[in-house]
Amino acid sequence: MTTDDANAPWLIVGLGNPGPEYTANRHNVGFMVADLLAERMGGRFKAHKARAQVVEGRIGPPGPLNRRVVLAKPMSYMNLSGGPVTALRDFYKVPVANIVAIHDELDIDYGVLRLKLGGGDNGHNGLKSITKSLGADYHRVRFGIGRPPGRMQVADFVLKDFSSTERKELGYFVDRAADAAEALVIEGLERAQSTYNS
């Protein structure tokens, strides 16, 4: 990593759909985690010309592990997330390796986290859009939502709110996902994976 890269900011993007009707959807868990991170950073989301809401701040202990972070929620719909993410990357001059997408993941059980760098989009429209714009070499915090029950369509399942049973533990899991995103930025992928890829 060059000195420039060492000083470059991180861009943490929570994926979701804008609008009150989507707020509690499974597909919006990325927004939920971003909201918690903003609270921890003591910042408020503000509109940015890149069609996103952003909070700028720092995370990590004082000293060399303290990182400059831009936290973002794209205000396009999920399947158009790549546009705002690319505009933010260009505006803040963020290397792709310093981008973290936080998103819902169907192929992982509810509440389970997986951190990774690169890979496919697994049919996730938000990731598909970002990968099309930036390539695949960005970090992901994958938040398991499990598969739809019975014959429910995937599209219906992700756009439904978490069930009442799921909501009992949702706060804990969102908190843990925020911890994982911070650990990824502060300690690096391998250490964060060893703690959170349960």
Side-chain angles (χ1 to χ4, degrees):
M1 194 182 265
T2 66
T3 319
D4 285 353
D5 283 353
N7 297 324
W10 282 76
L11 174 59
I12 301 178
V13 183
L15 294 183
N17 283 308
E21 68 274 35
Y22 299 106
T23 304
N25 288 181
R26 291 183 177 93
H27 223 17
N28 270 42
V29 77
F31 274 16
M32 296 173 199
V33 178
D35 286 338
L36 180 58
L37 286 167
E39 206 177 292
R40 290 181 181 185
M41 283 162 59
R44 278 204 129 104
F45 279 103
K46 293 185 175 73
H48 189 279
K49 65 180 181 187
R51 280 189 312 147
Q53 291 189 347
V54 301
V55 173
E56 295 177 53
R58 302 192 82 87
I59 60 175
L65 292 179
N66 192 263
R67 304 275 186 255
R68 197 172 134 227
V69 168
V70 178
L71 190 57
K73 297 193 295 187
M75 290 289 113
S76 59
Y77 284 99
M78 178 73 90
N79 59 344
L80 300 171
S81 302
V85 174
T86 304
L88 290 168
R89 176 206 61 181
D90 294 346
F91 184 85
Y92 290 104
K93 300 182 176 36
V94 181
V96 173
N98 279 22
I99 296 175
V100 182
I102 305 172
H103 64 92
D104 57 307
E105 179 61 65
L106 288 158
D107 284 340
I108 305 175
D109 289 340
Y110 175 61
V112 174
L113 296 174
R114 289 278 182 277
L115 279 64
K116 67 183 245 190
L117 174 63
D121 56 54
N122 213 5
H124 191 288
N125 288 332
L127 297 182
K128 205 175 282 181
S129 177
I130 294 171
T131 298
K132 196 173 162 191
S133 298
L134 297 178
D137 296 332
Y138 54 92
H139 289 88
R140 296 102 192 270
V141 174
R142 304 158 77 205
F143 187 112
I145 59 169
R147 283 256 157 212
R151 295 187 173 173
M152 188 188 288
Q153 293 293 313
V154 165
D156 295 335
F157 179 68
V158 299
L159 292 175
K160 279 203 169 11
D161 292 359
F162 284 101
S163 70
S164 54
T165 314
E166 288 169 335
R167 282 200 296 272
K168 287 182 182 136
E169 293 183 293
L170 183 59
Y172 168 76
F173 291 139
V174 166
D175 198 58
R176 202 161 177 271
D179 290 347
E182 289 179 344
L184 171 58
V185 169
I186 296 163
E187 300 167 15
L189 179 62
E190 282 179 27
R191 287 191 65 180
Q193 280 175 325
S194 66
T195 308
Y196 294 98
N197 280 19
S198 48

